[in-house]
Amino acid sequence: SLPPFYSALTALTSLDASAAALAGSLDATAAQLASLPQLSHLDLSNNGLNGTLPAVFSALTALTYLNLAGNNVTGPLPP
């Protein structure tokens, strides 16, 4: 998951954490992102994330770019 301070960056619009050695459940990382309402660009590619795509991504209404390539993420996009 991401370092805890990311949750406090509520005005953050872009986050590139590609190849950042993130590992574990995508749920834990996504929960941290829920507090970033202005996030429009998110790149978590080439990490060790796994699991299904959490519904919390649907709460990120400003998100226009999402890259999860190179992880083990499955399932449909949440509505």
Side-chain angles (χ1 to χ4, degrees):
S1 63
L2 296 167
F5 68 85
Y6 278 101
S7 298
L9 302 174
T10 57
L12 190 68
T13 60
S14 181
L15 176 60
D16 185 344
S18 58
L22 300 175
S25 171
L26 183 59
D27 285 334
T29 301
Q32 293 174 287
L33 299 172
S35 63
L36 305 175
Q38 297 181 37
L39 191 64
S40 62
H41 179 105
L42 178 59
D43 189 341
L44 297 173
S45 63
N46 301 310
N47 283 289
L49 299 171
N50 58 59
T52 58
L53 198 59
V56 71
F57 279 105
S58 63
L60 298 173
T61 57
L63 194 64
T64 58
Y65 177 84
L66 174 63
N67 188 350
L68 296 171
N71 290 288
N72 190 21
V73 178
T74 60
L77 291 172

